[in-house]
Amino acid sequence: MYDLIIIGSGPAGLSAAVYAKRAGLNLLVLEKSPMSGGQVLNTYEVDNYLGMPGVNGFDMGMAFRAHAEKVGASFLEAEVIGVEDCGKTKKVMTRKETFETKTVLFATGAEHAHLNVPGEEELGGMGVSYCATCDGAFFRKKEVAVIGGGDVALEDAIYLARTSKKVTLVHRRDSFRGAHTLQEELLKLPNVEILYSHGVNRILGEDMVEGIELTDLKTGETKTVSLQGVFVAVGIRPTNELLKGLVDMDESGYVIAGEDCATNVPGIYVAGDLRKKPIRQIITAVSDGANAAVAAGAYCSAQ
Ligand code: NAP
């Protein structure tokens, strides 16, 4: 019987592991893939984590992991297929075995949203990508588009402009929601063209991406841009499959939980991007992890 099982090993899960271990909880971290770190691993540069300006996302993810290992957290690579609330205990089912625990923390984060336009699925991996730092190198000296207007889209456009011949940043509104510092950096780049108020109708190409068809949302005019790569950065969706029917969520699928990360089901906690909250940043995920671990510890002591 564990005190705490943490599902997911991004910043929220790893922070929870450190705090829970230091609080003396008997815990296990279940991770779907061996490379821990969540979305942070795919971030080229993180510039807003306090005290670590410009840190490489991969290095940061690895440092978080090393810290959790150093305090003695146990990890197991296993995909969780279900969680059952049995009152004072919970069952966590993986493909191979079932674990019993007093509390469960879901730190499963979020996944890339899709544009849902023709050509996107068909050309996935053939020029359509959701990760500039993973796939940018394939588009060296080529022309690419980035779709979106949030932090990720701006960061991706800046990152790709370093190696690609030209980056066309397509955003559906006439102002970005991404950070001002990123906007300033972007506007200085000579090989970035910004198309505000444009929507993507379809991604063109037979076997490989050859272009995108756009509509100017102000004039209604349609045009085609020839290019070889499309980086979709239109936000994230919570990874909440395991929680459906188990805990309360909002209409977008984010789990409703307060500062202590406790859901409406006693003993079940959520931390990080999965939780309903105003800003989803690495620093707030780490903060959630700490709060959830402390709350889970208090719950175990009270049992
Ligand atoms: P985001 O902030 O939700 O931005 C998504 C962008 O995609 C928005 O500009 C949105 O347009 C656009 N969009 C959504 N659906 C679209 C569609 N169907 N067609 C065209 N455009 C569409 O998402 P994100 O940039 O992936 O960032 C996710 C979260 O991670 C954010 O909270 C962000 O601040 C955070 N983040 C943090 C760090 C860090 O901690 N350093 C780094 C990167 C990201 P509208 O603007 O019109 O809605």
Side-chain angles (χ1 to χ4, degrees), residues 48 115 149-152 171-173 177 234-235 280-282:
N48 57 1
L115 272 173
D151 283 334
V152 171
H171 180 37
R172 65 182 178 183
R173 288 188 300 116
R177 68 167 65 218
V234 295
R280 294 190 174 80
Q281 302 279 300
I282 300 163

Side-chain angles (χ1 to χ4, degrees), residues 7-25:
I7 306 173
S9 53
L14 293 172
S15 163
V18 169
Y19 272 76
K21 199 69 201 172
R22 285 169 56 88
L25 300 191

Side-chain angles (χ1 to χ4, degrees), residues 72-230:
S74 311
F75 291 84
L76 180 71
E77 191 187 332
E79 185 179 352
V80 177
I81 53 169
V83 172
E84 196 181 318
D85 176 30
C86 313
K88 286 190 174 174
T89 64
K90 322 286 168 205
K91 277 187 188 158
V92 177
M93 283 83 78
T94 69
R95 293 206 180 278
K96 284 196 185 143
E97 50 196 318
T98 296
F99 300 97
E100 267 201 280
T101 177
K102 293 178 191 160
T103 64
V104 183
L105 169 62
F106 286 86
T108 46
E111 293 155 327
H112 300 291
H114 287 206
L115 272 173
N116 296 320
V117 296
E120 184 182 21
E121 298 306 321
E122 297 86 330
L123 295 165
M126 310 306 280
V128 175
S129 168
Y130 299 84
C131 177
T133 46
C134 315
D135 299 329
F138 298 121
F139 300 91
R140 190 172 280 274
K141 299 203 168 86
K142 293 187 175 162
E143 301 199 11
V144 298
V146 175
I147 320 297
D151 283 334
V152 171
L154 303 187
E155 282 177 358
D156 284 1
I158 293 166
Y159 177 76
L160 290 163
R162 294 184 184 134
T163 50
S164 298
K165 188 172 157 196
K166 183 181 172 190
V167 178
T168 303
L169 178 56
V170 182
H171 180 37
R172 65 182 178 183
R173 288 188 300 116
D174 56 7
S175 65
F176 291 123
R177 68 167 65 218
H180 268 277
T181 46
L182 293 172
Q183 294 185 36
E184 280 166 12
E185 201 179 333
L186 193 68
L187 291 170
K188 288 185 204 145
L189 300 172
N191 60 339
V192 175
E193 182 183 1
I194 301 173
L195 295 177
Y196 293 104
S197 307
H198 275 73
V200 180
N201 304 336
R202 61 182 68 240
I203 299 173
L204 307 167
E206 282 296 317
D207 302 322
M208 300 293 288
V209 167
E210 290 165 18
I212 45 175
E213 185 191 288
L214 306 172
T215 295
D216 182 326
L217 300 172
K218 288 200 166 153
T219 64
E221 213 173 283
T222 298
K223 68 174 173 182
T224 298
V225 180
S226 296
L227 39 74
Q228 293 78 49
V230 178

Side-chain angles (χ1 to χ4, degrees), residues 11-12 39 46-49 151 155 179 236 272-273 277-288:
Q39 293 180 80
V46 178
D47 214 19
N48 57 1
Y49 195 89
D151 283 334
E155 282 177 358
I236 54 172
D273 285 358
K277 56 181 173 173
I279 52 165
R280 294 190 174 80
Q281 302 279 300
I282 300 163
I283 207 157
T284 60
V286 165
S287 162
D288 275 6

